[in-house]
Amino acid sequence: MPPSADLSVSVTLAEIARIAGVGRAAVSNWRRRHDSFPAPVGGTDTSPQFALSQVEEWLRQQGKLDEVGDRERLWPEFEALGDRDAMGTAIAVVGARLVREETGSSGSASPPRPGSAMEFPDGTGLSDAQRSLVERAVGLARKHGARETFDFLLGRWLDTHVRQIGVTPRPLAALMAKVAELSRDDEAGDVGTVLDPACGTGGLLLAAARQWAGKVEAHASGIPLKLLGQDVDPTQAALAAVRILLAGHPPGHETGWEVDIRAGNTLRADPHPGVRADVVLCNPPFNERDWGYEELATDARWTYGLPPRTEPELAWAQHALSRLAPDGTAVLLMPPGVASRRAGRRIRAGLLRTGVLRAVIALPPGAAPPHSVALHMWVLRAPAEDGTRPGAGVLLVDAADMQPELSGGTQRTGRAAIDWPLLHRRVVSAIRAEDGDRDLPADHIVVPVIDLLDDEVDLTPARHIPKALASADLGLRRSWNRFGTLLHELRDLTATLSALELSGEEPAGQGTVTVGDLVRAGAMTLRAGQQPADGAVRTGDAPDDAVPLLTVTDVLVGGRPSGWLPGREAWAGETAGTLTVTVPEEVVVVGAYRAFGAWVDIDAPTVLGSQLFALRVDPALLDPWFLAGCLRAPANARQAGTHASTSSRIDVRRLQVLRLPLEEQRRYGEAFRRLTAFERSLREAGTIGRELVNGLTDGIAAGRLPGSRA
C-alpha cells in the first residue's frame, strides 16, 4: 500500500506501535536511537503527533512495516475525514460492499430484497476521499477477512465517538436476550421475530441472533429468524444493517436470519406498524423531552395512559408492548428514576394492574452508559391470545450492590469493570427462583401487585428487598476479605513507620527554602491550574484517551475527578497555555486552605482546575516525594496562608522545603511515600470498617444469627 501523501493525517506514539505491531516502549526507543525518526508535526512534548506518511516511509525503510498494521495504517485516514457521519457512512459502504461480495460467493448473508426499505448504503454521494478509503478498505478485507475488517473499523469509530453514541455492551445485550428467553412461557412457542425500535448499531439484534438463530426448533420449518430494527440516526441504521448481515448465520443453519433495519423516528413514524414481534429488546434514549408529546397525545399505543412529557421512557415501554405478539416478551433498559418518579405512577399502576410488568432488575453502576448510574432492566409480557394475563406478582431483583473495581488499578479514570459472569448468575438464578446457591446473596423477591399499588407505586427493587438480604452474604464476605488485606498492609507499614525515631530537636544549620526561591533558582517550575471553557468538561463514561479534570471540590469530596476532557482537547489547551495538564511525577498542591494538600501525581495526566498548582522538579536537584511530603505539612499551610476564614488561600510560593542533599532527600522521600500509603490504607480501612459495622448491625437486628429464631 503506498504511503499517504497527506501530511495532515497524524498519528500518536500508541498508534505507531499498533501499526508496527510492537509495544509503545519500542517506539520510544526508536525515537531515542534513530536520528532519522520523523519529527513531530503537532501535539505536545508528552503527547506528540507525527505525520502518518512520514512514519510509514520510515518504518518501510527500517523493514518494520508488515501486514500486521495494514488496518492500523488505514484508520487515521478515516479519522482525517473529521465528521462523524462522514466516517460512519464510509464504513457502512465498506460493509455493504463486503455483504454483496459475501452474498455472491457463499450465500452466507441475505442481500437486501428488491424494493425493501432497509437502509443499505450504495455509496451514492461519497466524496473522493471517502470513495478512496472505501476501495482500500475493501481490498484489505479481501486479504484479512470481511467481518474482521468491518468489525475493526466499526469498533474504532465507536471508540472515537463514545460520548455521542450509546452502545449496549455485548455482555449486557446477551443478558437481556437471556432474560427474554427465560421470561417466556413454554406455550409461547419459538421465537421467530425480534424487534429493536432504537437499534443503534445493532448490538441487541446481534445478541438476539446468537440467542435464538442457532436453535434447531426455531428453524425446524426452514423459516429464518427475522431481525427488525429502526434508529433515528441514518448512519447508525446503515451500520447496523451491514453489521448483522456480515455476521452471517450459525454453523449448520444455512437459513441464517433475515434483516430489515430502517432509519427514522420510531415513536413518530413507525416503519413496522403491523409487526407483532415475539421479542422486543430495546435500550431507548433517556431523558428526551422532545419525543412527540403534543402530536402523539391521542395515539392508540397509550393503553396505560398518556406518558407525561418528562417520562419518555414510559412511551417507549408502551410502544414495545404495542408491537408484541400475544405472549410476547419485551426487555428494556431504563434509568432508575422511571421506577419511582411521581409523574409516571399512574402508568406504572396500569402496567401492574394488567399484569404486563413482570420484573424490574436493578443493575450495578457501570453496566451500560451512563456508567455512573445503576440502570434498571424492565421485563414486560403481553397477554395471551385468549386474554389470559400473567400472574399477580412482580419479580424484583437488586444486583445494584455489586461494587465494581475501577480498571487500571489506582488510576482515577478507570471504567467500571463489571463481573459479568457473576451478574449473569445472579439474574438468571433470580428468574429461575434458584435460591439454593449459597455463593449468591438472596437479592430477589416476588412482591404481590396489591402491595405495590400504594400512593407512590415505587418499583425500585432496593425499597422492597431488605438490605441485609441484598448484600449481607456476598458483600460482607468481600468486605472482610478486603479488610483483612488492609490490616496486613497496615501491619507492615506500622512496623516500618514505628521504627522511625524522630530527633528531639531540629538539626543545627539545616534550614529551609521557599518554593518561590526554588522556582527562581531553576530547581522547579510552578504552573497554576485553570478553569476550562464552558461546555468543555464532560461527565459520565470516558474514552481511553480522556484526561480527568481535578477541582478543589473533587478534593473535598474524596479526591476522585468528576469530569474529564478529550485527550486532544486537553493537550491542545496545554500547548496553547489555556489548560494545565500534569505529567507523571509532578507534585500537585491545593492552594485552598480548607482542602490543602500535596501529592505526587502518579495517575497523570490530569487537568488541574483553579486553585490547584503543578510543580515539576529538576530530578537532578529535587526528589518529588520529598518535596510533596515537606509541602503538605500542616505547619507549612499555617505559615503560608491567611486563615481568616475557610475560604482563605495558600500562597504556594511561601511554602517551605528543607535544605537537604539529593541523597538525603530520597531517604526522606521514601519515608513520606510510606506515610502516604499508610494514610491511604487507614482511610480505606475506616470506610470498610463502617460498612462492616452497618451490615452486621442490619443482619443481627433482622434476627439472622444462627439459632436465633424460634
Side-chain angles (χ1 to χ4, degrees):
M1 180 187 300
S4 169
D6 187 358
L7 294 180
S8 67
V9 180
S10 61
V11 289
T12 63
L13 289 171
E15 289 171 328
I16 294 172
R18 287 195 291 262
I19 289 171
V22 298
R24 180 168 172 171
V27 180
S28 299
N29 190 38
W30 294 343
R31 288 188 68 197
R32 289 193 298 270
R33 291 176 48 206
H34 300 280
D35 294 336
S36 59
F37 193 89
V41 296
T44 66
D45 290 342
T46 56
S47 183
Q49 299 274 330
F50 303 85
L52 174 63
S53 58
Q54 295 177 353
V55 169
E56 286 186 3
E57 183 61 27
W58 187 85
L59 291 172
R60 185 174 288 104
Q61 291 173 356
Q62 300 293 321
K64 302 180 186 298
L65 194 64
D66 55 29
E67 294 184 356
V68 171
D70 279 353
R71 294 189 298 242
E72 297 287 354
R73 296 203 297 276
L74 188 62
W75 175 248
E77 298 190 56
F78 273 92
E79 275 194 306
L81 293 173
D83 182 71
R84 185 197 77 172
D85 289 340
M87 296 165 60
T89 300
I91 295 169
V93 174
V94 170
R97 286 274 303 274
L98 297 175
V99 167
R100 291 189 175 97
E101 290 191 9
E102 290 254 312
T103 301
S105 61
S106 66
S108 61
S110 303
R113 299 179 299 282
S116 170
M118 187 172 72
E119 303 300 327
F120 201 79
D122 58 6
T124 303
L126 292 184
S127 67
D128 291 341
Q130 288 174 303
R131 197 170 288 110
S132 172
L133 284 174
V134 168
E135 293 300 327
R136 291 167 62 190
V138 171
L140 281 180
R142 291 169 184 152
K143 180 165 49 173
H144 296 299
R147 192 180 309 173
E148 293 77 8
T149 300
F150 177 80
D151 286 348
F152 168 82
L153 294 173
L154 177 62
R156 284 301 179 85
W157 183 74
L158 291 172
D159 289 343
T160 301
H161 304 290
V162 67
R163 284 298 300 164
Q164 295 135 1
I165 301 170
V167 177
T168 307
R170 179 169 176 172
L172 179 57
L175 179 58
M176 291 174 68
K178 184 66 175 178
V179 167
E181 180 187 49
L182 293 173
S183 301
R184 289 173 57 80
D185 285 340
D186 294 337
E187 295 78 14
D190 296 330
V191 174
T193 303
V194 180
L195 170 67
D196 183 351
C199 66
T201 55
L204 282 170
L205 290 174
L206 267 180
R210 297 185 183 104
Q211 183 68 42
W212 287 291
K215 297 184 181 299
V216 175
E217 53 274 6
H219 299 282
S221 62
I223 299 175
L225 178 71
K226 293 180 181 178
L227 301 174
L228 309 179
Q230 183 177 3
D231 198 86
V232 70
D233 186 334
T235 302
Q236 294 193 57
L239 287 165
V242 296
R243 179 187 185 188
I244 297 170
L245 286 170
L246 273 175
H249 55 78
H253 296 275
E254 295 302 319
T255 51
W257 45 74
E258 291 182 0
V259 182
D260 191 345
I261 297 177
R262 312 183 192 190
N265 187 304
T266 306
L267 294 181
R268 287 187 166 97
D270 186 1
H272 307 111
V275 166
R276 293 298 177 264
D278 301 305
V279 170
V280 173
L281 299 176
C282 188
N283 181 358
F286 298 159
N287 301 321
E288 284 196 342
R289 294 296 180 260
D290 184 24
W291 59 268
Y293 173 77
E294 290 87 357
E295 62 198 87
L296 299 174
T298 59
D299 197 288
R301 288 172 291 183
W302 314 144
T303 305
Y304 306 93
L306 172 63
R309 187 191 307 274
T310 57
E311 297 287 336
E313 296 84 7
L314 291 176
W316 284 98
Q318 294 191 75
H319 172 74
L321 281 166
S322 73
R323 295 299 175 261
L324 283 177
D327 262 339
T329 302
V331 178
L332 285 78
L333 210 57
M334 297 286 210
V338 181
S340 60
R341 285 195 291 253
R342 190 170 184 82
R345 59 178 177 169
R346 184 167 64 89
I347 295 177
R348 293 196 301 272
L351 295 172
L352 289 171
R353 288 192 185 99
T354 54
V356 298
L357 181 60
R358 306 306 307 134
V360 176
I361 302 167
L363 302 171
H371 286 278
S372 59
V373 177
L375 299 174
H376 288 179
M377 192 188 302
W378 281 31
V379 181
L380 305 164
R381 279 270 308 282
E385 198 157 11
D386 61 2
T388 303
R389 298 185 181 277
V394 178
L395 172 66
L396 301 179
V397 183
D398 186 8
D401 65 304
M402 290 177 59
Q403 296 298 323
E405 296 294 331
L406 290 179
S407 58
T410 60
Q411 291 187 354
R412 293 186 296 253
T413 56
R415 178 176 295 183
I418 299 295
D419 187 341
W420 288 107
L422 177 61
L423 178 60
H424 188 280
R425 283 175 57 207
R426 290 181 66 170
V427 173
V428 168
S429 295
I431 294 175
R432 289 175 172 168
E434 294 175 348
D435 297 325
D437 191 339
R438 298 181 61 85
D439 293 332
L440 298 178
D443 58 2
H444 60 275
I445 188 172
V446 176
V447 182
V449 168
I450 191 64
D451 291 346
L452 297 170
L453 291 173
D454 54 16
D455 290 340
E456 297 180 0
V457 196
D458 191 338
L459 306 179
T460 305
R463 176 173 179 178
H464 302 277
I465 303 172
K467 186 64 179 175
L469 295 180
S471 63
D473 300 331
L474 183 63
L476 286 178
R477 278 199 296 272
R478 288 180 171 176
S479 294
W480 280 120
N481 288 339
R482 179 57 184 157
F483 192 70
T485 300
L486 288 169
L487 289 179
H488 182 74
E489 294 174 1
L490 285 168
R491 279 195 295 269
D492 290 344
L493 290 166
T494 299
T496 302
L497 293 172
S498 63
L500 297 177
E501 295 186 4
L502 301 181
S503 174
E505 57 184 23
E506 296 182 4
Q510 184 168 263
T512 61
V513 60
T514 67
V515 167
D517 291 335
L518 291 170
V519 171
R520 286 188 290 271
M524 70 169 73
T525 59
L526 171 64
R527 298 177 299 143
Q530 304 169 73
Q531 184 62 33
D534 290 342
V537 181
R538 278 73 157 177
T539 58
D541 185 37
D544 291 339
D545 68 340
V547 180
L549 168 70
L550 185 67
T551 66
V552 170
T553 301
D554 294 330
V555 175
L556 284 170
V557 298
R560 178 168 292 170
S562 56
W564 56 271
L565 282 80
R568 291 192 176 185
E569 292 182 19
W571 293 118
E574 166 78 3
T575 302
T578 58
L579 292 175
T580 301
V581 185
T582 65
V583 297
E585 299 291 288
E586 271 194 292
V587 175
V588 177
V589 181
V590 183
Y593 189 81
R594 59 179 176 158
F596 176 71
W599 63 88
V600 178
D601 192 358
I602 59 175
D603 297 327
T606 305
V607 179
L608 300 183
S610 58
Q611 298 190 63
L612 295 171
F613 299 84
L615 303 178
R616 186 178 302 180
V617 305
D618 180 344
L621 299 173
L622 282 171
D623 178 81
W625 286 94
F626 163 75
L627 175 65
C630 288
L631 296 181
R632 65 173 296 185
N636 218 349
R638 288 193 294 270
Q639 65 82 30
T642 59
H643 24 274
S645 71
T646 56
S647 62
S648 301
R649 299 192 178 188
I650 302 294
D651 184 348
V652 174
R653 291 179 176 271
R654 290 176 53 198
L655 292 172
Q656 297 180 350
V657 183
L658 284 172
R659 289 181 182 270
L660 291 177
L662 184 59
E663 285 303 314
E664 191 70 359
Q665 288 180 34
R666 289 171 179 158
R667 188 171 72 89
Y668 272 69
E670 181 59 28
F672 282 133
R673 189 195 302 261
R674 291 178 179 273
L675 193 58
T676 299
F678 180 76
E679 180 186 37
R680 184 172 57 247
S681 297
L682 200 60
R683 185 183 299 117
E684 186 179 354
T687 299
I688 294 180
R690 285 191 294 274
E691 292 175 359
L692 288 168
V693 169
N694 291 338
L696 287 171
T697 300
D698 280 343
I700 295 171
R704 300 188 67 206
L705 281 178
S708 63
R709 295 179 182 177

